[in-house]
Amino acid sequence: MPPKVASVRFTVTPTKIDDLGAISDTSPDLSSSSRVRFSSRESVRDASRSEVYSDTSLATTAVDQASEGTTNPMDSAEDRSQTSVTEENSKLLDLDCRKNSVLYQNHTEDEGDSYDKNLALFEEEMDTRPKVSSLLNRLANYTNLPQGAKEHEEENEGKKKTAKTPRMGTIMGVYLPCLQNIFGVILFLRLPWVVGTAGVFHAFCIVFACCCCTMLTAISMSAIATNGVVPAGGSYFMISRALGPEFGGAVGLCFYLGTTFATAMYILGAIEIFLVYISPQAVIFHGDGAAEQAAAMLNNMRVYGTGFLLLMSVIVFVGVRYVNKLASVFLTCVIMSILAIYAGALKSTFAPPDFPVCVLGNRTLSSLHFGDCAKTVEEENMTLVTDLWNLFCNPHGQLNATCDEYFFHNNVTLIQGIPGMRSGIISENLWSNYLQKGEIIEKASMPSADYLSVQSQQYVLADITTSFTVLVGIFFPSVTGIMAGSNRSGDLKDAQKSIPIGTILAILTTSLVYLSNVILFGSCIDGVVLRDKFGDAVKGTLVVGALSWPSPWVIVIGSFFSTCGAGLQSLTGAPRLLQAIAKDGIIPFLRVFGHGKSNGEPTWALLLTAVIAELGILIASLDLVAPILSMFFLMCYLFVNLACGLQTLLHSPNWRPRFHYYHWTLSFLGMALCLALMFISSWYYAIISMVIAGMIYKYIEYHGAEKEWGDGIRGLSLSAARFALLRLEEGPPHTKNWRPQLLVLVKLDSDLHVSQPRLLSFASQLKAGKGLTIVGSVLLGDYLENNAESKAAEQALKHLMEQERVKGFCQVVVAQKQREGLSHLIQSCGLGGMRHNTVIMGWPSSWRQSDDSRAWKTFITTVRVTTAARLALLVAKNVSLFPGSREPLAEGNIDVWWVVHDGGMLMLLPFLLKQHKVWRKCKMRIFTVAQMEDNSIQMKKDLATFLYHLRIAADVEVVEMHDSDISAYTYERTLMMEQRSQMLRQMRLSKTDREREVSDHA
């Protein structure tokens, strides 16, 4: 009889991405033919099928019986029935696949011929040189909005959304958005001050360390992003799917807070540019002294910042299309401003700009309060005092007035603030010059008479205390924004190629710009001008603007608009990040922020973002907001590196990134660098951010929704568990490490309720959450028929274990007989070295009055099996009278009858019970035998040794029992022995009766 031959076909049928709701977003891109077969035969019918490409393919498996060969006439009717059903299912599945193919062909015909040409991986972008009109069209349609924002706006306008092929390449889709997000307010407002304060050498180290951190993070991010499509949510999606919902939610919220505080930072930067450099007369609050002026400026920042935030929130709420239309304008402002800096630095080599700075001795004077940089002037052969004289001398306007000692003994000098690249000023700016708050900015190379100065408000003063760590925290936000490309992976023509190349190229470009600007600022600008943060010495002129060419207004206007644009983009992206977290449902109290407009716009999330950004604006200081922002971004980058390194080390089957230039050592190096920068910039901010992330983590762990995303932490737990189990197999545990590992045997009734739930309470009190606890039960019947009931029994046991706070595992065995099931549990529970060494069971109740002898027979058999397995046995009698886990005893005694030498088991059990809060106030009493026999003396010595090692000798009362006191114990023990003997006798009698019945039957 020829054997049956079966053909297995794996059919891959393209379909729309909208039809694949059950397929994970992290699954890799599949580009394959429409019909792929793996068959047990060499020839497969219909092998010639048209090949079509799709972003995601639906795999359908059909198993057909082969038509070759003859059918055995002796086959049963059941086999023929199963074969016919299999053939019918195969035809139905094949018909379904053909329908899907037809639907997909119609879909491709509607969308055009370009649909099937966009999935060739690593396709070279722009093989031919693009036309000028095509390039201008792409620049005109440039957008820096997060993925999905533009589509929501189009739906709000009532436009019919047509399916379009992703057309963005590396430059327009990744490189330029990353460039625009990385360059920001710090470059124009704080980088010159960082160079002047830290010196060229330290500033170069700060910039290089921050750029290395983002470069290593970008390598890890490229590996994660090319392992699948990254939808809205960006870094949150990558971390949550790689490290689990707990880490993802914690770091996602930290990243959301960082993006929200970035909005506040950009708004504060824009207000600073507006009030200090564009329109100083627009200030609302004024002050007389230096301290009052600083406080008034903070109030001005709060008022204008709140107004700007309200305006931006209205723009984002009304429609992000306005932000989209201005994206190219903001990008142009950034590029033109940077080019103007390089042009001005090059021009200063041959023709330095006229940028005078007034210096008294070696101290820099604030030019906001005087005009001429001189003590006196000659007019019509008369010597007249200047405004500068009146600032330091009293009474005003007199040459014989009493002047400040330092002013009187030092000369006023006019120096060039921008001497140019050929001046050699870099030698003075090479080393650091950190200052304390209120300290005067001085030029160390100029002579000065050392006299005490009474007046200080006329000088340029340091507004904050500076150090290397403070400057790291202030500068780091200028290198963030590297995830702008990965957030838009769905809009890219070839995301697997564009994200790594575009992101790394953008980081290289910005790093080169930052590092070169450090050298240029140190080579062209005097140190006193660099350290003058707000340009007080040069009449409120932006230092970078004075260096630029052709006009300082190129930098001022360009930096203002680019900062406003960055604020709008952060205010647009942060609510969508919060919406993505809320829609996942992992944080219950955030679910309300997953709702919004009818088209999906996150209205409630935008409101919360504006409120949190207002808190940052109320701080009113760019230098105080920047370190907070640095903490959140550094934590996010730390976990991106951890996710990549962890997935690489675990060798997960789903870890198949298309970007191959990564290594786990680079990921862990980036993680260590992020952690170091967190504590370098601000150790207390680092601790606070970690505490916030830890609280969110624990909240999600206890109250969040359970999500199974195949994260790396679960794989790490499995690897750690495997390693620990293998270590336990190396040898038996030492006596000092021995503790009871419990197997609790419970009985379930017909409603799947535990008949003796206090057994679990006793086990919980005995373990106190330590060691191994397995709760086992037996269901009678056949496993094939009672499989569902066994699963329900396991769930019931788990629920009861949660109520009794028992940390452990449960196992339900289905067997034909109760004794066999209990024997299987005792033999097979546990894994490797993690096995039970103690069995807890209840004393059979009412076994004397019961006509059914199976109860006590099962008990005796379980005792014998436990003894054969060389396990300890704890039998709880009257367990229903035991205290519950929530019923602490105010007083009482734990009596130990030290009669049988058991190796210390009776000493250990009450000691473990007293560790639990229920038994903590109870006193331990040990009853011993008073006769001075040899074995009694040895037992007393052992008792003293046990009490000494347990460190409880002071809390134990030892009672010696005499003949008159031992009667109660003797009676109880005698009664138990009689009950056990009666059980054994009945077992022997029943065995004899069965043998007699068998012989009579024979």
Side-chain angles (χ1 to χ4, degrees), residues 192 337 339-349 351-353 355 417-421 516-517 519-526 529-530 541-553 555:
S337 300
L339 293 178
I341 295 175
Y342 284 104
L346 184 63
K347 179 179 176 294
S348 69
T349 306
F355 200 65
I418 304 179
M421 197 178 298
S516 60
N517 280 338
I519 304 298
L520 290 178
F521 293 155
S523 303
C524 300
I525 306 174
D526 195 281
V529 179
L530 290 173
T541 304
L542 185 61
V543 177
V544 183
L547 177 65
S548 64
W549 182 86
S551 171
W553 289 101
I555 296 292

Side-chain angles (χ1 to χ4, degrees), residues 680-931:
I680 286 175
S681 58
S682 178
W683 63 269
Y684 47 90
Y685 277 167
I687 293 176
I688 292 174
S689 60
M690 288 182 174
V691 168
I692 294 174
M695 293 173 60
I696 299 172
Y697 178 92
K698 299 305 292 185
Y699 176 81
I700 297 174
E701 184 179 11
Y702 284 103
H703 299 286
E706 295 183 1
K707 298 288 184 179
E708 182 53 53
W709 289 329
D711 52 88
I713 293 296
R714 186 173 181 84
L716 181 62
S717 301
L718 291 174
S719 299
R722 172 183 171 274
F723 176 78
L725 288 173
L726 291 176
R727 288 291 302 272
L728 290 176
E729 284 289 310
E730 294 179 359
H734 194 270
T735 306
K736 293 187 296 183
N737 300 327
W738 192 94
R739 67 182 306 135
Q741 314 293 348
L742 303 181
L743 170 61
V744 185
L745 300 178
V746 297
K747 184 178 181 181
L748 298 175
D749 56 16
S750 58
D751 296 330
L752 301 181
H753 294 156
V754 178
S755 58
Q756 295 177 331
R758 287 299 172 92
L759 270 179
L760 297 182
S761 302
F762 177 69
S764 175
Q765 298 160 15
L766 188 63
K767 300 294 295 181
K770 306 297 190 300
L772 175 68
T773 302
I774 304 175
V775 180
S777 183
V778 178
L779 292 181
L780 298 179
D782 184 51
Y783 180 74
L784 297 179
E785 298 176 356
N786 300 326
N787 182 26
E789 187 177 358
S790 68
K791 300 298 182 184
E794 287 186 1
Q795 294 300 323
L797 287 178
K798 289 181 180 179
H799 183 66
L800 182 60
M801 291 171 66
E802 291 178 359
Q803 290 181 347
E804 298 294 338
R805 299 180 180 179
V806 178
K807 297 181 180 179
F809 312 94
C810 63
Q811 185 171 351
V812 177
V813 173
V814 180
Q816 296 291 343
K817 294 182 180 181
Q818 189 82 10
R819 284 173 284 178
E820 293 179 358
L822 293 175
S823 176
H824 294 161
L825 283 174
I826 295 173
Q827 295 178 59
S828 61
C829 278
L831 179 63
M834 200 67 175
R835 294 178 55 85
H836 57 279
N837 54 24
T838 304
V839 178
I840 295 182
M841 60 187 301
W843 182 265
S845 59
S846 304
W847 65 274
R848 286 178 179 271
Q849 294 78 15
S850 177
D851 296 334
D852 189 3
S853 61
R854 289 179 296 179
W856 59 265
K857 290 181 179 179
T858 301
F859 175 77
I860 292 297
T861 304
T862 306
V863 172
R864 288 178 171 177
V865 172
T866 305
T867 305
R870 302 183 64 83
L871 302 176
L873 177 62
L874 302 180
V875 180
K877 191 174 183 181
N878 297 326
V879 69
S880 60
L881 303 178
F882 283 26
S885 298
R886 297 176 178 85
E887 303 172 2
L889 299 175
E891 59 181 2
N893 297 318
I894 303 177
D895 294 341
V896 180
W897 297 84
W898 184 255
V899 178
V900 180
H901 194 294
D902 61 350
M905 184 75 172
L906 285 175
M907 295 295 104
L908 182 62
L909 293 180
F911 170 74
L912 294 177
L913 280 177
K914 282 179 64 65
Q915 307 305 309
H916 197 273
K917 62 180 180 180
V918 173
W919 303 86
R920 192 165 295 161
K921 296 183 180 180
C922 294
K923 190 174 181 180
M924 183 174 168
R925 295 190 305 179
I926 302 178
F927 294 89
T928 61
V929 181
Q931 285 83 359

Side-chain angles (χ1 to χ4, degrees), residues 123-143:
E123 180 182 5
E124 292 294 333
E125 182 183 3
M126 292 188 296
D127 295 329
T128 60
R129 190 175 184 83
K131 299 179 181 178
V132 176
S133 59
S134 176
L135 181 60
L136 293 177
N137 184 40
R138 292 187 180 185
L139 290 174
N141 295 327
Y142 167 75
T143 175

